[in-house]
Amino acid sequence: MRILVVNVNTTQSMTDSIGRQASAVASPGTEIVALTPLFGADSCEGNYESYLAAIAVMETVRAYTEPFDAVIQAGYGEHGREGLQELLDVPVVDITDAAASTAMFLGHKYSVVTTLDRAVPLIEDRLELGGLDARCASVRASGLGVLELEEDPARAVAAIVDQAEQAVTQDKAEVIVLGCGGMAGLDAAVRERAGVPVVDGVAAAVTIAEGLVRQGLTTSKVRTYATPRPKKFKNWPPA
Amino acid sequence: MRILVVNVNTTQSMTDSIGRQASAVASPGTEIVALTPLFGADSCEGNYESYLAAIAVMETVRAYTEPFDAVIQAGYGEHGREGLQELLDVPVVDITDAAASTAMFLGHKYSVVTTLDRAVPLIEDRLELGGLDARCASVRASGLGVLELEEDPARAVAAIVDQAEQAVTQDKAEVIVLGCGGMAGLDAAVRERAGVPVVDGVAAAVTIAEGLVRQGLTTSKVRTYATPRPKKFKNWPPA
Amino acid sequence: MRILVVNVNTTQSMTDSIGRQASAVASPGTEIVALTPLFGADSCEGNYESYLAAIAVMETVRAYTEPFDAVIQAGYGEHGREGLQELLDVPVVDITDAAASTAMFLGHKYSVVTTLDRAVPLIEDRLELGGLDARCASVRASGLGVLELEEDPARAVAAIVDQAEQAVTQDKAEVIVLGCGGMAGLDAAVRERAGVPVVDGVAAAVTIAEGLVRQGLTTSKVRTYATPRPKKFKNWPPA
Amino acid sequence: MRILVVNVNTTQSMTDSIGRQASAVASPGTEIVALTPLFGADSCEGNYESYLAAIAVMETVRAYTEPFDAVIQAGYGEHGREGLQELLDVPVVDITDAAASTAMFLGHKYSVVTTLDRAVPLIEDRLELGGLDARCASVRASGLGVLELEEDPARAVAAIVDQAEQAVTQDKAEVIVLGCGGMAGLDAAVRERAGVPVVDGVAAAVTIAEGLVRQGLTTSKVRTYATPRPKKFKNWPPA
Amino acid sequence: MRILVVNVNTTQSMTDSIGRQASAVASPGTEIVALTPLFGADSCEGNYESYLAAIAVMETVRAYTEPFDAVIQAGYGEHGREGLQELLDVPVVDITDAAASTAMFLGHKYSVVTTLDRAVPLIEDRLELGGLDARCASVRASGLGVLELEEDPARAVAAIVDQAEQAVTQDKAEVIVLGCGGMAGLDAAVRERAGVPVVDGVAAAVTIAEGLVRQGLTTSKVRTYATPRPKKFKNWPPA
Amino acid sequence: MRILVVNVNTTQSMTDSIGRQASAVASPGTEIVALTPLFGADSCEGNYESYLAAIAVMETVRAYTEPFDAVIQAGYGEHGREGLQELLDVPVVDITDAAASTAMFLGHKYSVVTTLDRAVPLIEDRLELGGLDARCASVRASGLGVLELEEDPARAVAAIVDQAEQAVTQDKAEVIVLGCGGMAGLDAAVRERAGVPVVDGVAAAVTIAEGLVRQGLTTSKVRTYATPRPKKFKNWPPA
């Protein structure tokens, strides 16, 4: 089985990190292919970059010429999953949904710890649209930008643990979700210090995607995610 | 006051029609500038085109070099408004929100009549995100594609009226919203036959945008719609 | 176009202030007629006075003998709008709804700052009934009574700004709504100090009412706001 | 114990009928005093009459000079309960809330059968405000006006049973609530034919009011229902 | 009329206390029979004991051979009420629902003060399922275990009052519900010190059960609470 | 890895069927142990049996003496999962949650097709409590009892497909969930005829449980699912 794991920003080192996290949890026989978008911003920290990433991820997957069995969109709280689902028959798993869905099996309420405060409403909106917000205790910001996570992982862990502890004591979270694709790989360190289960979306998405494939399940094509109708395009895709 | 009214598809005749509808309701002294996206699909009837339109509308507005006082995104139920709000200080009004908001002043519940069934969930999602769904009785599909509306307006009116009547009798709607930018100009004909107020999003958006400008109100920059942070872009914008 | 702006209390100076605020934002050609209820309390700060105001506003509008194009009910969070909508075909705009609806175009979440704590649940209830509460971050009390606003505007501004700042930092509001008709005219001063858009309901209602009239839209008469059935009245209206 | 049961319309025969229904279920030692409002409409079938009734019920209770232990507002889905709660320390029970609350002890979902279709949204709104709508399957109209119920009880029972059966089979209701004070006394006949528990709001309210009094419970005065602040009134109360 | 009041734990002194509280509020002519479950834990402070209590209460009621008119399940936030409703035609009143329903007649919002923090989510879940959570401001823990309540009532009152005061000032509760069957009898002391109405579930349930019986109302048998279908049981009931 | 899959009824052939379905989807290296409860009813079709099953499943797992890595509760819409989560550190996956969670990755809305109409509210309640109901279009009954499924699989498939088709066309479901553990193994046949993805809860639960184990995730012990406190038990467990 081959699973495409698509980063939402154009920072190659982050794609590499996401790929490593995915491979670490993948079953024997699963090939992880980590892709960097063909165009876009070096990090997504708001709607403009996120909308750009949405279409970049779609075009990047369309440009991939080998067969594959599932796609993971590896940005937390980003736009675009619905478009991928229209374009593909194979399962599409967004790490936002994967992590929330996973967390709900482990505790009564979960909190998300993300990067900047400005990303919080985007994540809240995506969880609401995904129908996964009823058991979300809070979405909290660590105050670190996406690229800062990579620059200083120890500082990142400390900032995330700090918010995780507040989520547990004040918001009554019982599980913590790492709310950024760039946090892939920090889950073990956070879990050790926070004393509650910590879910990484990339790892969660890999096991869910594998499970869907093994069950022979594919994206429903009857309505919302029906294949796009034929269109005439102007100036698209870019040369 | 100058208001940009941006179509979401690349069909120029539809931009023209939207522009005429906007101009018809605009106050003396308001200049309507109708724009066609620089790239994209000739109609938006699903998530793929809609996400493409989202970024196309943003780039089109960014490429507009004259001053303006407000922007109207003239696609019903499409993605992207939040990105525009980040990029701009002036008010951004999406016709989805404008029409729903207007309908709520006229009746206890409203229904939206749109084009194809596959567009219904997109509209429902946008209304939910906008916090404007509590008084929405239903979103109904006329069964006509976007471009078919223009080809045969009489047939379009008949199909919309048919759904409007069902919305009133079965779903208990008291107001009808025309759920497609391409329906601009059909409101009078539908209103006459449906016996209830009929709201066109383009007209509604123009009066709302004018009102916001007259009150000196601008997009809040403290959190969700804060100006994007500086980024490095790869292969973007397209040549 | 003539718009009736009806105060909910019987304090004439407050009617005057509301009228000035309305006139300041009205378009050329719009005549604002500010009315004081024929009976009622000198301020509304609870359900008893508010219910009395509801029926007083209706009787005051019924007693107005000149033609008019729209009515604005200029009390924040008060009862009665639905009754006016039954009695009239022209649009009825309550400043509670107008301000909330306007705020939602400017930010992801808004907070209302009102007078006394006891008014908070009334406002919450009206926003819930109006279907406008989903994006309301909080309703906060400044601690000042309605008539105190007029007595010491500088103190009023300070108290409102204090709550506005807490709404932004603690409740994550991005826009502030002035939650009392008696705050009309304070918006500029609050906006300057709070650093976020500040919406005054009277101003918002005027632009919305004008917009509805220009679009030729009227109150739906098919169900909830159908004209009252003929009744026999006992001891009503009062001599 | 003395309980005031206040009709919302000025039709004395309906007050008498409500009083009989209340007395039939009252405990030994409970005195039921049925009151007709001092002013208002002969039936309430919409917001205008309902708002008038709200204030009329309050003034009627204020004018009652003997001591009493609880008040029942005997109109289904009408405005005004919150005002009574402000004015009084003793418990106030609205039959809308009493019936819904009672029905929820008897089945998973309940439906309300009321008079005219135009009353349905008022009832839905009151149930929503009362926090009692989550287990409401539907509010249905029998198509009969308030005064028609009294004129032809057999026809009323047939129309109510017809809607009750549809509520059970289509809306999955397990309990039926009689949604009009004027239906007091029809519960036995409807119950016999509908095959499910049928709740009459007047009877329910009497047992609830008695229970509150026996427990020594009174209306909370800390916030929403705090005693009204002193006001200056203009032209009120009417001579 | 005979009402069974069934404790959920096997501590006889707690059954006695619940029985006394029930008898104190019961009408003349009502016989209270307080039952201790045939099996189970000496206190319920989590899901395992609560599920065990659910089935123990059912078997205990099934084993009761005398006629009775209603059953009260006297555990706060415990499982099992729906099963009792299936087994019986007479009304079943859970003290969780009874107290919440009663509190809603007395104030705009109520809070529950219970024992341990771990019980809070169970109570929240039961209120949500019962459709009684919309007006719940908060569920707070006193930090005392169930059996500690009996050991030191003065300490219990102090801990409950402390949380009640925070509920009123911080969560905007207007009424307090005692969230444990073991708190029966503490309501007067808490009420005196908290300054708001305090509802004890056992007392509330008795008056509600009596009211249902007096109205001739029984559990609906059309769907959710239909009598169980015939089954073959293995190793059940226990010897 | 060893996963316990626990049937909720005492019909051994159904345990066998569930075990086969689980084994078919399990990864190499996963051992499926299918358990029949030590006591209980031969089928669960209502709350009484379901509550009995809840405690039976817990006692059965407690009596299992070998090590294991996860537990699957293989009854659809049944009580008890929270108790298992308290008793265990390893992940607990209920097929109700597993199937809903899986379906949400495949379409915008899903419907559940279950056995009898009386089971529908139980399932709706469990989905609501699990926070998985927002994207549930409907829960529909096939009209067949649990044991009838096994007796005549062809008839079962036909009845399920019939409801699935109505769910798609009328309720706008895009994915179908088989709402009974006894339907394990019918998914392929239903999928072929219904034209949309069909999710079987047992298969879904196995892949999810495996994924949780592979990620090293365990049940959170900080609050709701903390290990039960020590108790004195009377007459329990049964001899």
Side-chain angles (χ1 to χ4, degrees), chain F residues 196-239:
Chain F
V196 293
V198 174
V199 178
D200 169 68
V202 175
V206 169
T207 65
I208 289 169
E210 286 186 349
L212 296 172
V213 173
R214 273 161 47 203
Q215 292 174 79
L217 291 167
T218 54
T219 299
S220 180
K221 291 283 145 184
V222 298
R223 197 184 194 213
T224 310
Y225 306 131
T227 303
R229 304 178 97 200
K231 300 287 167 190
K232 294 186 192 149
F233 289 93
K234 181 174 88 173
N235 299 332
W236 195 259

Side-chain angles (χ1 to χ4, degrees), chain A residues 85-89 221 223 225-230, chain B residues 49 118:
Chain A
Q85 288 175 297
E86 280 180 5
L87 293 170
L88 303 173
D89 288 334
K221 291 285 144 182
R223 198 183 192 213
Y225 307 130
T227 303
R229 303 179 97 201
Chain B
E49 302 102 72
R118 67 179 295 159

Side-chain angles (χ1 to χ4, degrees), chain A residues 70-87:
Chain A
V71 173
I72 292 170
Q73 177 161 318
Y76 206 87
E78 308 301 349
H79 298 287
R81 181 205 7 105
E82 307 94 321
L84 273 175
Q85 288 175 297
E86 280 180 5
L87 293 170

Side-chain angles (χ1 to χ4, degrees), chain A residues 160-162 164-165 168 176 188-198, chain F residues 222:
Chain A
I160 295 167
V161 167
D162 181 53
E165 286 170 351
V168 171
I176 297 298
V190 176
R191 198 180 303 175
E192 189 180 324
R193 292 175 50 187
V196 294
V198 175
Chain F
V222 298

